Amino acid sequence: MGMMPKRPRHRPRGSILAAIDVGSTKIACFIARVEDEDRLQPIGIGHQLSQGVKAGAIVDMEAATAAIAQAVNAAEQMAGETIREAMVNLSAAHVESHPLTVEVAISGHQVGDLDLRRALASARQVERPGETEIVHAIPVGYAIDGMRGIEEPRGMFGQTLGVQLHAIAANAGAVRTMGVCVADAHLNVEGICVGPYASGLATLVDDEMDLGCVLIDMGGGTTEIGVFVEGVCVHVDCVPVGGAHVTRDVASGLSTSLTHAERIKTLYGAAFASAADERELIDVPQIGDAESHGPNHLPRSFLTSIIQPRLEETFEMVRGKLEASGFHAAAGRRVVLTGGASQLAGVRELAQLILDKQVRLARPFRIPGLAENAAGPAFATAAGLLRFAARMPDDLKSLPAAQQAPTSLFGKVGHWLRENL
Ligand SMILES: Nc1ncnc2c1ncn2[C@@H]1O[C@H](COP(=O)(O)OP(=O)(O)OP(=O)(O)O)[C@@H](O)[C@H]1O
Ligand SMILES: [Mg+2]
């Protein structure tokens, strides 16, 4: 008997995919056409200052909905296409990541897609505390009759199939709130992908995915962590501190407005002191006295002394999360930084020092052909969502749902099955 045919892993050529990254700083909508296999052609890009989102959480639905709708409209106009559904990110601030093993009986027959589907569906039945639901059930490894290390069980025989999963459970309320905002912007949530998982899909090279690597997405309201080992996302986590905190520190430290602080930070800010900082002077407009006094000159080193402690603290928190996760060693020696806040001068050097790993800055290289203004590190999540969407075969949606799987608002069962089969 031959091998069971593998389910196609990509959307058909010509399909149109859409992704929405609801960030704390900006909301981005990417629309792309599937060229072939893993090749996507971006055809519409819209981005928009975020409203109603703080630290990855929606805090004002009406404002968030309006900003989502604007980003989507801009992308649709550029694409000349109307989209009906989109892949949407969920901040790692709303999720909990844990390993989970499930078993199903296969009673001597050959393992097929249905068995894998049953195994994944049973992950949903596992008792979980409070109001949470599984958004990802990522197979990390398989065992048949207790024999572990099986990489592709389809076609094999045995009595019991065990699947080791990386389960990511989300706060159910946060998922629903997001779904309603997107629905109010006249779109369906096609599926959900946790932020750092998506960002990793857009920025990591195969070797990094395979050999082990920590992805750190430095956003405005959060710093999100994804650990990848042997090609699989094995852990996600989040630190509730981001670039907006740095901007606030600068505003209060220099007694200037948030707008000026943001500009001063991006123009002159650094995470790491250099000798030249002492000599260089920067202009700081003061709050409220713009006309009465001339600009205030300060050494650049003073600005660095405001920024550096916040970033040190952030990377120390990341290190603490990694140590607590148990994946610190498995994650290898490599760290990849992305996200808008990774663009601050000296961030790579500081991360290297505190995390004691090799650190690289990354942009979303996996979706070539993005215009310059949408190809920066702030767009890693949006680009990764497209890639995540592309890998899901279209046809699985039409397959009957696995037994017992509860019906849910967005058909998430279909979503994580499509992702994982
Ligand atoms: N050139 C730059 N230098 C330093 N910081 C920058 C630069 N450009 C953008 N940032 C910072 O990046 C942050 C926004 O990053 P990003 O767009 O990735 O956030 P987000 O995805 O909207 O937020 P989150 O992921 O936390 O929800 C802001 O705090 C901004 O100050
Ligand atoms: Mg982000």
Side-chain angles (χ1 to χ4, degrees), residues 303-318:
L303 177 62
T304 313
S305 74
I306 297 171
I307 295 175
Q308 185 164 351
R310 178 66 85 169
L311 280 152
E312 277 172 358
E313 178 200 33
T314 307
F315 287 124
E316 277 160 9
M317 287 162 86
V318 168

Side-chain angles (χ1 to χ4, degrees), residues 21-26 53 55-56 217-224 242-244 247 262 265-266 339-341 343-345 377-378:
D21 171 14
V22 181
S24 308
T25 305
K26 52 94 193 43
V53 185
D217 185 329
M218 305 179 68
T222 59
T223 299
E224 304 194 29
T247 302
E262 179 71 21
K265 179 183 83 169
T266 49
Q343 295 169 100
L344 191 76

